[in-house]
């Protein structure tokens, strides 16, 4: 399958014309200098146009300082661009991003696209949906929805989250379909509109159409499927997608792989719970037999020994979760081969989570590719790889040195990685309490990733008295904040806790999420 990533391009122009226009644009903006020169002076020396051109030349160009200065000077375009860049990074600082989007919108006098950006943020952090509703309701009254294409598009984006606030969706969708000629989301808007109206069949068809350009359509499609057989239906759909013409984009391939990987996580938990139940029943049968003075029954063998089983028997014995994981990996591999940065990052996380399936050399080769596109992210991943005890590349001292450098530079990921180092026992024995103390400080600031890590430690951590109730609490909070990967922890712990505890912790977590909206 030939999957190609999206690239910045001057659409519709022949290559010679692109080159001419690019050079002319660079000359006009004064941005034709090498980036090392362009960014060697004060940040304020760059205009917004120069920043845009620098990003056209190199999407990883170090323009954040320039954008910060321009935003401080009141440039709404710079505020929007800065908010978008912050949203793309691994940061849970939603408060600042929200403020930037609202300032960029400027009560309808600034950037209409800022409303769309704020919608994307709330989609990522769904616990904010209730607290932000009044802002969107007010914002929609500040401009004419059909004023221009930007206004129509922004209003339709708001309707994705708050359909009840936009009464003229059908009219706006018709206007959008007639006016938009490039990078259009017509099918995606129509699909969500159909889903809100309860027309599942139409919604699924439109989501399939939207996958030609919109990665978010993949998750929406999955959620729109019949809940009783959703996972199997999506697996069949993903298999059919392999023969799509034209091939799906790298972004859609990655989104498909992530959904399948999440399904595999849940299936793996179900398999673990079934195995625990089987063992418990077996132990009870043995105890009952011994109490009656009878010989203990032989324990069953869940998986046949290789020297006693046929190839077919071994294939049937392979957990279904591993089969689903392989299906998801196919799509992630496709996206990685297309050079998509997010896919490479996902692949690296898979490598560090399953070190027995990869080598340290493979991981560091991938990290070098990531560093070429995003040096900051590459450094974070390098630290994570240096802490993998199964690889000969293990070097916790080097990891600690990089972490200290990150913290000194204000990289928010530094403290998360330091907590990981304590939890893994990189500097000594595993110190879960020290890790939890650090993670709790971050969680109290609304850090979703810190809450997910705490849920994992309380549930699966080594060298600690596990606390399933606390693990369940933090997993629920993570899930409520949009951290879908916490669902596997939730599923596991709901198989361990009693119904009264589950009900109480759900209520407590809901109150916590409500309070978190005010942070």
């Amino acid at each position: 399958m030939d999957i190609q990533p999206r690239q910045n391009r001057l659409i519709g122009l022949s290559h010679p014309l692109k080159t001419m226009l690019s050079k002319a644009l660079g000359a006009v903006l004064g941005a034709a200098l090498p980036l090392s020169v362009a960014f060697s002076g004060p940040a304020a020396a760059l205009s917004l146009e120069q920043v845009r051109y620098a990003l056209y030349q190199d999407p990883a160009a170090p323009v954040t300082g320039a954008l910060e200065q321009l935003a401080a000077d009141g440039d709404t375009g710079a505020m929007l661009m800065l908010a978008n860049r912050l949203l793309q990074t691994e940061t849970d600082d939603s408060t600042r991003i929200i403020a930037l989007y609202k300032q960029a919108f400027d009560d309808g006098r600034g950037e209409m696209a800022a409303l769309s950006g704020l919608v994307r943020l709330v989609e990522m952090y769904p616990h904010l949906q209730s607290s932000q509703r009044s802002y969107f309701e007010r914002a929609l009254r500040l401009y004419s929805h059909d004023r221009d294409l930007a206004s129509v598009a922004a209003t339709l984006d708001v309707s994705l989250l708050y359909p009840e606030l936009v009464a003229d969706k059908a009219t706006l969708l018709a206007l959008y379909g007639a006016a938009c000629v490039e990078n259009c989301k017509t099918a995606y808007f129509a699909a969500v509109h159909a889903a809100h109206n309860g027309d599942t069949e139409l919604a699924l068809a439109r989501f399939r159409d939207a996958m030609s350009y919109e990665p978010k359509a993949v998750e929406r499609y999955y959620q729109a499927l019949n809940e009783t057989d959703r996972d199997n239906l999506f697996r069949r759909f993903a298999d059919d997608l392999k023969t799509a013409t034209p091939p799906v984009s790298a972004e859609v391939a990655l989104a498909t792989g992530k959904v399948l990987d999440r399904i595999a996580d849940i299936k793996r938990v179900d398999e673990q719970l079934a195995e625990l139940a089987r063992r418990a029943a077996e132990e009870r049968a043995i105890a009952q037999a011994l109490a009656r003075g009878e010989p203990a029954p032989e324990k069953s063998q869940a998986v046949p020994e290789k020297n006693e089983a046929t190839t077919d028997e071994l294939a049937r014995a392979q957990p279904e979760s591993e089969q689903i994981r392989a299906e998801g990996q196919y799509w992630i591999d496709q996206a990685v081969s297309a050079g998509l940065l997010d896919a490479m990052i996902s692949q690296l996380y898979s490598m560090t989570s399953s070190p027995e399936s990869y080598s340290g050399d493979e991981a560091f080769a991938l990290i070098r590719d990531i560093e070429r596109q995003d040096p900051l992210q590459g450094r974070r991943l390098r630290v994570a790889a240096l802490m993998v005890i199964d690889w000969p590349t293990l070097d916790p001292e080097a990891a600690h040195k990089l972490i200290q450098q990150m913290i000194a530079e204000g990289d928010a990921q530094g403290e998360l990685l330091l907590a990981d180092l304590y939890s893994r026992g990189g500097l000594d024995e595993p110190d879960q309490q020290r890790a939890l103390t650090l993670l709790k400080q971050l969680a109290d600031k609304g850090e979703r990733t810190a809450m997910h890590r705490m849920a994992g430690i309380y549930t699966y951590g080594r060298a600690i008295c596990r606390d399933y109730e606390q693990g369940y609490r933090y997993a629920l909070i993570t899930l409520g904040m949009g951290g879908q990967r916490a669902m596997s922890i939730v599923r596991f712990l709901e198989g361990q806790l009693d119904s009264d505890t589950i009900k109480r912790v759900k209520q407590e977590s809901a109150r916590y999420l409500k309070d978190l909206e005010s942070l």
Side-chain angles (χ1 to χ4, degrees):
M1 179 180 293
D2 182 19
I3 294 180
Q4 296 297 327
R6 295 176 184 171
Q7 298 177 355
N8 291 329
R9 56 191 182 275
L10 300 172
I11 299 173
L13 297 179
S14 65
H15 179 71
L17 286 177
K18 288 182 189 178
T19 303
M20 292 172 61
L21 182 55
S22 178
K23 289 181 177 179
L25 185 60
V28 169
L29 299 180
L33 292 172
L35 291 181
S36 59
V37 176
F39 292 101
S40 61
L46 290 180
S47 68
L48 184 59
E49 289 75 16
Q50 288 173 316
V51 169
R52 285 174 174 150
Y53 184 70
L55 291 172
Y56 171 77
Q57 288 183 305
D58 177 9
V63 298
T64 301
L67 288 173
E68 293 274 11
Q69 182 60 60
L70 289 167
D73 291 341
D75 189 318
T76 57
M79 294 173 191
L80 173 61
M81 189 178 294
L82 179 59
N84 286 340
R85 287 178 68 83
L86 291 175
L87 191 62
Q88 293 170 358
T89 63
E90 290 193 6
T91 175
D92 289 332
D93 189 8
S94 57
T95 302
R96 181 164 186 244
I97 301 174
I98 289 171
L100 283 168
Y101 277 133
K102 291 180 178 180
Q103 291 165 9
F105 179 63
D106 192 21
D107 287 344
R109 296 182 296 269
E111 312 295 327
M112 292 304 304
L115 280 184
S116 301
L118 190 53
V119 166
R120 290 196 302 275
L121 182 143
V122 176
E123 286 178 330
M124 290 173 61
Y125 300 93
H127 70 290
L128 298 173
Q129 187 164 346
S130 176
S131 64
Q132 295 302 314
R133 186 184 187 280
S134 59
Y135 174 81
F136 281 107
E137 187 174 15
R138 175 179 173 274
L140 290 170
R141 296 196 296 266
L142 297 176
Y143 65 95
S144 175
H145 297 176
D146 60 357
R147 181 176 65 191
D148 52 29
L149 182 58
S151 301
V152 172
T155 307
L156 286 172
D157 274 328
V158 174
S159 76
L160 298 176
L161 279 179
Y162 308 96
E164 73 281 3
L165 297 183
V166 182
D168 50 349
K169 290 188 293 292
T171 301
L172 292 174
L173 187 56
L175 286 173
Y176 181 85
C180 186
V181 296
E182 185 177 88
N183 299 323
C184 304
K185 300 196 295 183
T186 309
Y188 184 66
F189 286 137
V192 178
H193 185 47
H196 286 156
N197 290 336
D199 192 341
T200 302
E201 185 176 351
L202 178 60
L204 291 173
R206 290 293 178 266
F207 281 133
R208 287 193 294 268
D209 294 340
M211 285 181 206
S212 62
Y213 57 84
E214 179 53 76
K216 289 188 291 186
V218 176
E219 178 66 31
R220 290 268 193 173
Y221 179 88
Y222 173 73
Q223 296 297 337
L225 291 168
N226 188 310
E227 187 174 1
T228 58
D229 198 28
R230 179 179 290 160
D231 293 348
N232 288 327
L233 289 171
F234 187 84
R235 290 177 67 187
R236 289 198 289 271
F237 163 75
D239 192 54
D240 291 341
L241 202 61
K242 294 177 181 178
T243 58
T245 305
V248 300
S249 69
E251 291 85 353
V252 169
L254 175 60
T256 303
K258 284 185 172 181
V259 171
L260 288 167
D261 203 44
R262 202 168 70 235
I263 294 172
D265 282 345
I266 300 299
K267 179 60 67 175
R268 177 59 180 152
V269 168
D270 288 345
E271 292 165 351
Q272 290 173 334
L273 291 173
E275 176 63 13
L276 289 173
R278 184 190 67 79
R279 291 179 183 177
E282 205 168 58
E283 293 298 333
R284 284 195 301 272
I286 292 172
Q288 290 168 359
L290 292 175
R292 294 191 298 267
E294 300 173 358
E298 291 186 8
K299 291 187 177 182
S300 62
Q301 190 170 287
V303 179
E305 294 291 341
K306 288 187 178 181
N307 59 355
E308 299 177 359
T310 67
T311 302
D312 288 343
E313 287 173 332
L314 287 171
R316 286 194 298 272
Q318 182 187 35
E320 188 178 8
S321 61
E322 293 184 17
Q323 299 172 32
I324 302 172
R325 187 87 64 196
E327 294 167 14
Q329 190 61 50
Y330 166 85
W331 289 105
I332 294 173
D333 288 343
Q334 296 297 316
V336 169
S337 67
L340 184 66
L341 177 61
D342 287 345
M344 291 189 232
I345 294 170
S346 292
Q347 177 76 323
L348 198 283
Y349 283 136
S350 295
M351 287 179 166
T352 56
S353 299
S354 304
E356 70 282 355
S357 301
Y358 303 92
S359 70
D361 289 341
E362 288 177 303
F364 280 96
L366 183 59
I367 288 170
R368 287 191 290 272
D369 289 339
I370 293 170
E371 286 173 331
R372 281 190 280 271
Q373 293 192 50
D374 188 337
L376 186 60
Q377 185 63 265
R379 181 174 65 174
R380 295 167 179 166
L381 296 172
R382 182 173 289 276
V383 171
L386 287 169
M387 291 191 287
V388 177
I389 60 175
D390 301 71
W391 293 338
T393 50
L394 172 69
D395 192 340
E397 289 78 15
H400 187 240
K401 183 176 180 180
L402 285 173
I403 289 170
Q404 294 298 97
Q405 182 181 343
M406 292 168 65
I407 293 174
E409 293 175 4
D411 187 338
Q413 294 293 306
E415 291 180 317
L416 283 170
L417 288 167
L418 182 58
D420 278 351
L421 191 62
Y422 293 147
S423 179
R424 292 169 182 261
L427 301 178
D428 195 0
E429 293 298 317
D431 191 341
Q432 305 296 4
Q433 290 303 328
R434 194 172 183 183
L436 286 168
T437 298
L438 186 53
L439 290 171
K440 181 67 165 57
Q441 293 171 358
L442 297 171
D444 287 344
K445 299 175 185 177
E447 280 275 0
R448 182 175 68 189
T449 305
M451 295 182 191
H452 192 194
R453 303 273 173 86
M454 291 177 74
I457 290 174
Y458 280 124
T459 306
Y460 303 117
R462 296 180 299 138
I464 186 176
C465 184
R466 294 173 183 174
D467 187 335
Y468 283 174
E469 183 175 322
Q470 281 284 62
Y472 188 54
R473 178 175 289 105
Y474 281 107
L476 284 175
I477 293 169
T478 303
L479 190 62
M481 295 179 70
Q484 292 291 327
R485 295 308 291 263
M487 176 57 78
S488 60
I489 298 179
V490 170
R491 184 73 152 250
F492 175 75
L493 293 177
E494 286 182 346
Q496 304 297 313
L497 298 169
D498 61 80
S499 59
D500 288 341
T501 301
I502 289 172
K503 181 179 179 181
R504 174 174 53 80
V505 176
K506 279 186 174 180
Q507 292 171 343
E508 293 170 355
S509 300
R511 287 195 295 269
Y512 183 90
L513 286 168
K514 187 70 176 176
D515 294 341
L516 199 60
E517 293 179 20
S518 61
L519 284 180

